[in-house]
Amino acid sequence: MSTSTIKDFRNGVKPNWCPGCGDFSVQAAIQRSAANLNLSPEDLAVISGIGCSGRISGYIRSYGLHGIHGRALPIAQGVKMGNRDLTVVAAGGDGDGFAIGIGHTIHAMRRNMDITYIVMDNQIYGLTKGQTSPRSEDGFITPSTPEGSIEKALSPMEMAITSGASFVAQCFSADIKELTATIEAGIQHKGFSIINVYSPCVTYNKVNTYDWFKENLTKLSDIEGYDASNREMAMNTLMKHNSLVTGVVYQEMKPSYQELVKGYAKRPLAHMNLELQPKLFDELVNEFV
């Protein structure tokens, strides 16, 4: 029986996101998921990057760290290695994770550490007033591409599957029921889970609006016979629908990074006594003199 409630994860800080921003629903879904999984605030760490979405770690009552641009995942992985008992959620935007942070994203996915990465994908740089992002479609007009972008949008779901992520999902912030259930499933998955969330920017992106997504998204649960364990089916479905699908796209059961590290202490490193005895300290010093 659950004893946690969503109120346990509210800290009273009022978000400064624009009214109607999709990130409000992502915040609520994380809080609901934590409560539904009966976590306590001290069981959860939310690590975020830079951007409008990066503010989310300050709006949830849990451990949290607002990191630097594109570096949420290295910090989150360090937190998890230091305290294996924590539920670790990394969060950021598409510019944060798929531009400056893309190297970290790819290596975190192939590493398969047991953390959850939530990307708030608004297909634009919102915090810096609306430049083209790696998720903007070709032809997209912004102050940085006044004649329209000539680059194709990056496809995070295909990239995640080919990079080795073992839980790959996509959601729409307006569907908070599916979003909450997917975050719960991602947290419960033993390995790296990435959840790309279409989170409309109501101020700067006038193309990919709530109505646009409602007209163009397909739920995987509505596709008869869809099997998320079938890698080939997942890739074919993404290509057929131009990646505009929601639900768990692909899930594979395999050992997490922590399970493969030889000698990884069962007791969290954060709980160990790191005080160095004088005799041992002298022995270590003598090795270098």
Side-chain angles (χ1 to χ4, degrees):
M1 179 179 177
S2 175
T3 56
S4 296
T5 70
I6 190 171
K7 291 182 180 179
D8 295 326
F9 297 92
R10 291 174 177 163
N11 60 11
V13 178
K14 184 179 180 181
N16 66 349
W17 294 319
C18 302
C21 175
D23 295 355
F24 284 100
S25 295
V26 178
Q27 177 194 344
I30 293 173
Q31 292 166 321
R32 288 186 187 189
S33 300
N36 291 344
L37 293 172
N38 202 24
L39 299 176
S40 298
E42 61 267 28
D43 296 329
L44 175 66
V46 179
I47 314 298
S48 60
I50 295 294
C52 297
S53 55
R55 301 178 188 274
I56 199 167
S57 59
Y59 302 149
I60 295 174
R61 183 169 175 258
S62 70
Y63 292 116
L65 194 149
H66 190 173
I68 57 177
H69 206 0
R71 305 297 185 268
L73 283 172
I75 299 168
Q77 290 170 88
V79 169
K80 187 66 177 181
M81 287 300 289
N83 192 342
R84 63 191 304 162
D85 289 346
L86 275 178
T87 293
V88 178
V89 172
D94 49 304
D96 192 61
F98 301 145
I100 189 171
I102 192 168
H104 294 298
T105 301
I106 289 174
H107 289 291
M109 290 192 289
R110 75 179 183 87
R111 192 169 292 130
N112 198 37
M113 194 170 287
D114 187 15
I115 63 177
T116 298
Y117 184 35
I118 298 173
V119 181
M120 283 157 271
D121 181 0
N122 58 16
Q123 297 160 285
I124 204 166
Y125 282 97
L127 184 67
T128 49
K129 303 189 182 302
Q131 296 87 355
T132 295
S133 90
R135 289 284 298 126
S136 304
E137 295 290 347
D138 56 319
F140 197 69
I141 297 174
T142 72
S144 61
T145 54
E147 301 298 326
S149 174
I150 58 173
E151 298 174 294
K152 294 287 184 182
L154 184 144
S155 300
M157 295 290 92
E158 289 94 324
M159 179 183 71
I161 293 173
T162 56
S163 297
S166 53
F167 183 99
V168 179
Q170 190 159 259
C171 293
F172 178 33
S173 65
D175 188 348
I176 195 166
K177 183 178 179 181
E178 183 180 59
L179 176 57
T180 302
T182 305
I183 292 174
E184 288 178 37
I187 290 174
Q188 291 177 307
H189 175 77
K190 296 303 178 186
F192 189 88
S193 52
I194 178 170
I195 303 168
N196 190 62
V197 184
Y198 288 120
S199 180
C201 175
V202 294
T203 301
Y204 294 109
N205 191 337
K206 303 300 183 183
V207 176
N208 308 110
T209 62
Y210 284 98
D211 287 341
W212 186 89
F213 282 114
K214 288 175 183 175
E215 292 176 6
N216 289 281
L217 287 175
T218 297
K219 282 178 172 282
L220 291 171
S221 57
D222 290 338
I223 299 177
E224 187 176 355
Y226 187 77
D227 179 4
S229 68
N230 187 322
R231 183 184 174 105
E232 183 178 0
M233 180 181 289
M235 293 296 284
N236 287 337
T237 302
L238 288 170
M239 288 188 283
K240 179 180 179 181
H241 293 271
N242 194 27
S243 294
L244 290 167
V245 298
T246 64
V248 178
V249 178
Y250 179 68
Q251 186 170 17
E252 175 186 2
M253 302 303 177
K254 62 182 181 180
S256 68
Y257 182 85
Q258 292 96 322
E259 292 174 301
L260 296 175
V261 174
K262 293 181 180 178
Y264 184 49
K266 292 184 178 179
R267 183 184 180 193
L269 299 176
H271 294 171
M272 291 183 178
N273 181 5
L274 301 179
E275 184 177 348
L276 205 57
Q277 297 300 316
K279 181 182 178 182
L280 180 58
F281 176 78
D282 290 340
E283 290 175 357
L284 288 172
V285 171
N286 289 333
E287 290 182 11
F288 296 95
V289 296

